[in-house]
Amino acid sequence: MERYHNAPLGFIASVQAVFAGTARQAADWLTGYVAAGARHLVIRLATDDHDTGLEEFAERFCPCCVAENHR
């Protein structure tokens, strides 16, 4: 993350929310923002290959959100 942003992690975390974990953990974490009233979420992936990263994120994350909506 520091390489991606060219800044120390402490600084990055002081100006934006930072998360790392599994797709299930990400869904749980983001659900908190939605429950608090967020209508839009901006997902920034710290990867050099954004297209592949976004596809992988969607494949792993979206099923967790669908499961969350059916609880």
Side-chain angles (χ1 to χ4, degrees), residues 33-61:
Y33 288 97
V34 174
R39 294 179 49 197
H40 298 86
L41 301 171
V42 176
I43 308 298
R44 176 184 277 172
L45 304 173
T47 179
D48 293 327
D49 185 349
H50 293 280
D51 292 337
T52 300
L54 186 58
E55 287 177 18
E56 182 178 332
F57 176 81
E59 287 171 4
R60 293 182 181 188
F61 178 78

